[in-house]
């Protein structure tokens, strides 16, 4: 019985010497593994990114939670900080933003002209939660909110209406008897009619502006589409832990969600079908390579049997070669996957999850062992069964 | 020669190949006895069954009838696993050509029998050096086998047949592809190898000059062996 060290040494040597025969299979398995690892490791991050982008069009991962204002019993209800904190800790919640609105039109004067607009108080999380980026300047920082600074962000259409072509960034604007510094402008996809609004830090607004509604509107941004339903269903119970849920309204964009999930499902199906197809292709490549190897190496097999190799030894040798091939290809694929994973990570600004990477490498090694055995078994059995005389006879 | 020297005793051996086109009787009552240190040349026309007999002796073929006693043990009915064991413990094979494994070095080639026999790595190099020196190929140990000339390849094949210290060397037309000078060199090697009086040689050939160097010559005729004086 041949020992394992010799088996491995000879197996790798043979694969290396006959490598030309196997390039196709190696490439296919390496690519399949690479794709598998990237999809497994980065899938969630990529999904979050696609999700964020698609969401600018549909807002499908946004759950809007409000206290209804058309019921006298809850017209003064607002979200307590404990409630907000608890909701932001729910599984699947990415970010939570709290806001309030001025009941009536706010207004400002410039060169003796009056301009009316909607005034909204928001926290620093609002912009990230809504995936807004400033057209110029910046949005509220946490200090703006905690220190109740007198700063303001204008929707770009509103800014244009008031200032025309004059530079507005850094200017002061009068709202309800107070001056606020303009620090940024809002514009872009998904902004909608908010480009006609003015924004103040919610703390500042509650302090200084008359007729603000209570802090009765929560934007809950979920991590992925799959999280939306569970988050929405958990919210009422979470609210009840800290306050009454009378008049609480949870809005989910179900139609968009369904549509986006469908698209995502097809994308995922497509990706997994391509990866499995690649892996199968690799296995077929190895199988074919091993079959031709057995055929063109009948002489070798016969000679080895003449040297005293048992059927078992021959079978073990060919199976080892097959395993070396599939595992080797997987190792190459893992390296490639690691590289691509880091490149994608840098592109979408997220670091790959270490645990997921390890898990997907483990899975691919397991798959490759299965592939190796599956692809190598039949050819190896053929090799082992080969009659010695037919192998050593033709001369 | 006394009976304890007898390694192989074959009696009444018959071999029929069953083919769809009918049975082909090849061997018909072959009797053969080989002792330690003996050299036997088997001559005969092409297709007379020389290789078939050698393959039966080497346990590659199971005969249709008869008895085969190897080192005092009847082995006509042993299973495949035991056959492999007997092969690696008792026999060294040399074929007509293409004896060496493609894409390997002389050392790697000679290592295989030792691996199958479970010889530890430390001992392998020693053994390989020893047999290669005997066939005057010590200087080519790490060369690729496909770069060797025909005569050199046969010498390496002889070395490989010897490396497991077999009781019997089975050679099927080992000089068939060689010129007469190289043929005589290979015969020198064979006879030198069995000069220790422990190893026997069975050699199939149709070259009379080669056969003449063996102690005993048998002739195949009509499926039976007749000894030529
Ligand atoms: N596996 C086989 N099946 C059928 N016939 C065979 C087989 N092997 C050998 N033979 C036949 O047996 C005869 C003897 O073959 P062989 O021993 O190779 O002859 P030699 O070596 O003396 O030239 C030939 O006629 C050959 O066709
Ligand atoms: Mg022959």
């Amino acid at each position: 019985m041949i020992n394992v060290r010799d088996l491995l040494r000879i197996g790798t040597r043979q694969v290396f010497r006959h490598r030309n025969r196997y390039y196709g299979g190696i490439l296919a398995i390496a690519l399949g593994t690479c794709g598998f690892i990237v999809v497994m490791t980065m899938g969630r991050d990529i999904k979050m990114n696609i999700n964020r982008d698609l969401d600018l069009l549909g807002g499908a991962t946004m759950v809007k939670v409000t206290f209804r204002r058309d019921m006298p019993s809850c017209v003064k209800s607002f979200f307590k900080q404990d409630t907000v904190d608890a909701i932001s800790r729910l599984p699947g919640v990415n970010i939570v933003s709290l806001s309030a609105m001025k009941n009536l039109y706010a207004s400002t004067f410039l060169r003796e002209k009056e301009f009316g607009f909607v005034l909204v108080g928001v926290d620093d999380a609002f912009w990230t939660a809504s995936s807004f980026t400033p057209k110029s300047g910046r949005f509220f920082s946490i200090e703006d909110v905690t220190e109740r600074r007198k700063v303001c962000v204008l929707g770009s259409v509103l800014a244009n209406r008031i200032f025309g072509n004059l530079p507005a960034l850094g200017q002061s604007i009068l709202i309800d008897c107070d001056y606020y510094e303009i620090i940024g402008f809002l514009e872009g996809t998904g902004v909608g009619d908010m480009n006609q609004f003015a924004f103040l830090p919610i703390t500042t607004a509650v302090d200084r502006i008359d007729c603000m509604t209570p802090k009765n509107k929560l934007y809950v941004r979920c991590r992925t589409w799959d999280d939306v339903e569970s988050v929405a269903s958990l919210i009422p119970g979470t609210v009840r832990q800290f306050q009454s849920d009378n008049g609480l309204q949870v809005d989910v964009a179900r139609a968009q969600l369904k549509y986006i999930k469908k698209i995502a499902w097809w994308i995922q199906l497509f990706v997994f079908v391509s990866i499995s197809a690649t892996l199968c292709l690799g296995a077929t490549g190895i199988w074919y390579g091993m079959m031709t190897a057995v055929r063109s190496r009948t002489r070798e097999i016969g000679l080895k049997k003449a040297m005293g190799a048992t059927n078992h030894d021959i079978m073990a040798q060919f199976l080892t070669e097959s395993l070396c091939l599939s595992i080797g290809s997987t190792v190459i694929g893992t390296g490639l996957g690691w590289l691509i994973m880091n490149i994608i990570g840098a592109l979408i600004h997220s670091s790959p999850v270490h645990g997921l990477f390890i898990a997907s490498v483990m899975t691919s090694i397991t798959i490759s062992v299965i592939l190796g055995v599956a692809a190598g078994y039949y050819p190896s059995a053929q090799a082992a069964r080969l009659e010695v005389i037919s192998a050593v006879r033709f001369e | 020669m006394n009976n304890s020297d007898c390694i192989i005793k074959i009696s009444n051996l018959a071999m029929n190949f069953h083919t769809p086109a009918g049975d082909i009787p090849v061997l018909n009552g072959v009797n053969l006895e080989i002792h330690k240190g003996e050299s036997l040349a088997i001559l005969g026309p092409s297709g007379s069954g020389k290789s078939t007999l050698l393959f039966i002796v080497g346990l590659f073929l199971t005969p249709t009838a008869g008895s085969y006693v190897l080192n005092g043990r009847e082995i006509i009915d042993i299973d495949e696993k035991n056959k492999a064991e007997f092969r690696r413990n008792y026999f060294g094979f040399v074929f007509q050509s293409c004896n060496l494994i493609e894409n390997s070095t002389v050392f790697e080639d000679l290592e295989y029998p030792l691996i199958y026999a479970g010889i530890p790595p430390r001992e392998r190099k020693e053994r390989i050096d020893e047999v290669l020196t005997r066939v005057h190929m010590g200087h080519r140990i790490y060369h690729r086998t496909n770069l060797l000339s025909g005569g050199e390849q046969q010498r390496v094949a002889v070395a490989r047949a010897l490396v497991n210290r077999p009781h019997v060397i089975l050679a099927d037309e080992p000089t068939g592809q060689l010129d007469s000078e190289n043929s005589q060199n290979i015969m020198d090697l064979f006879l030198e190898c069995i000069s220790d009086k422990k190893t026997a040689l069975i050699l199939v050939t149709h070259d009379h000059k080669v056969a003449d160097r063996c102690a005993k010559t048998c002739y195949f005729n009509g499926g039976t062996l007749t000894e030529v004086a």
Side-chain angles (χ1 to χ4, degrees), chain B residues 99-199:
Chain B
N99 271 296
L100 305 181
I101 288 166
E102 264 182 284
N103 273 314
S104 64
T105 66
V106 172
F107 179 85
E108 288 162 5
D109 204 303
L110 265 66
E111 198 187 11
Y112 283 113
L114 299 172
I115 290 174
Y116 297 134
I119 307 293
R122 278 166 275 107
E123 220 180 305
R124 292 180 200 163
K125 175 78 166 62
E126 257 172 60
R127 288 245 212 146
I128 291 170
D129 277 336
E130 183 203 314
V131 287
L132 280 180
T133 315
R134 271 166 84 181
V135 303
H136 316 293
M137 288 293 290
H139 57 300
R140 306 302 285 272
I141 181 164
Y142 295 120
H143 286 221
R144 285 293 180 99
T145 51
N146 54 322
L147 300 178
L148 302 177
S149 74
E152 287 172 324
Q153 287 188 11
Q154 283 309 78
R155 279 196 268 160
V156 172
V158 171
R160 194 183 61 201
L162 291 171
V163 78
N164 256 357
R165 300 176 181 160
H167 293 74
V168 185
I169 298 169
L170 302 174
D172 192 355
E173 310 202 21
T175 59
Q177 305 262 303
L178 303 179
D179 57 33
S180 60
E181 194 191 328
N182 271 313
S183 298
Q184 290 305 323
N185 286 340
I186 291 291
M187 283 315 292
D188 290 340
L189 281 180
F190 274 135
L191 296 177
E192 196 186 306
C193 294
I194 62 165
S195 62
D196 60 3
K197 299 284 174 215
K198 282 185 197 145
T199 316

Side-chain angles (χ1 to χ4, degrees), chain A residues 2 6 9-10 13-14 17-18 299-300 303-311 313 388-389 392 395, chain B residues 55 60-61 80 84 87-88 93 96-99 101 103 108 111-113 115-116 124 144 160:
Chain A
I2 185 165
D6 285 320
R9 190 169 54 88
I10 294 170
R13 189 171 75 202
Q14 290 288 0
R17 299 247 169 97
H18 296 275
R299 181 87 195 168
E300 176 185 324
L303 288 171
K304 285 180 173 169
K305 283 195 174 179
M307 293 180 225
T310 58
N311 290 357
D313 290 333
V388 190
I389 36 164
V392 287
E395 351 209 273
Chain B
F55 286 141
F60 290 142
L61 280 176
E80 183 51 43
R87 241 178 257 145
R88 83 178 158 252
F93 289 89
Q96 182 173 349
S97 63
C98 309
N99 271 296
I101 288 166
N103 273 314
E108 288 162 5
E111 198 187 11
Y112 283 113
I115 290 174
Y116 297 134
R124 292 180 200 163
R144 285 293 180 99
R160 194 183 61 201

Side-chain angles (χ1 to χ4, degrees), chain A residues 393 395, chain B residues 50-52 172-173 204:
Chain A
R393 173 158 236 141
E395 351 209 273
Chain B
K50 305 182 297 293
S51 298
T52 304
D172 192 355
E173 310 202 21
V204 167

Side-chain angles (χ1 to χ4, degrees), chain A residues 269-299:
Chain A
L269 182 74
F270 176 75
V271 167
F272 275 101
V273 166
S274 350
I275 289 174
S276 348
T278 318
L279 287 176
C280 287
L281 223 92
T284 317
I286 289 188
W287 180 77
Y288 184 75
M290 294 305 294
M291 276 316 264
T292 39
V294 169
R295 265 185 230 122
S296 65
R297 283 159 67 189
T298 47
R299 181 87 195 168

Side-chain angles (χ1 to χ4, degrees), chain A residues 132-139 154-157 159-160 184-188:
Chain A
F132 291 157
T133 44
K135 179 194 171 197
S136 59
R138 63 176 180 85
F139 291 147
L154 296 184
S156 59
V157 171
N160 202 43
F185 303 97
L186 175 64
E187 191 185 76

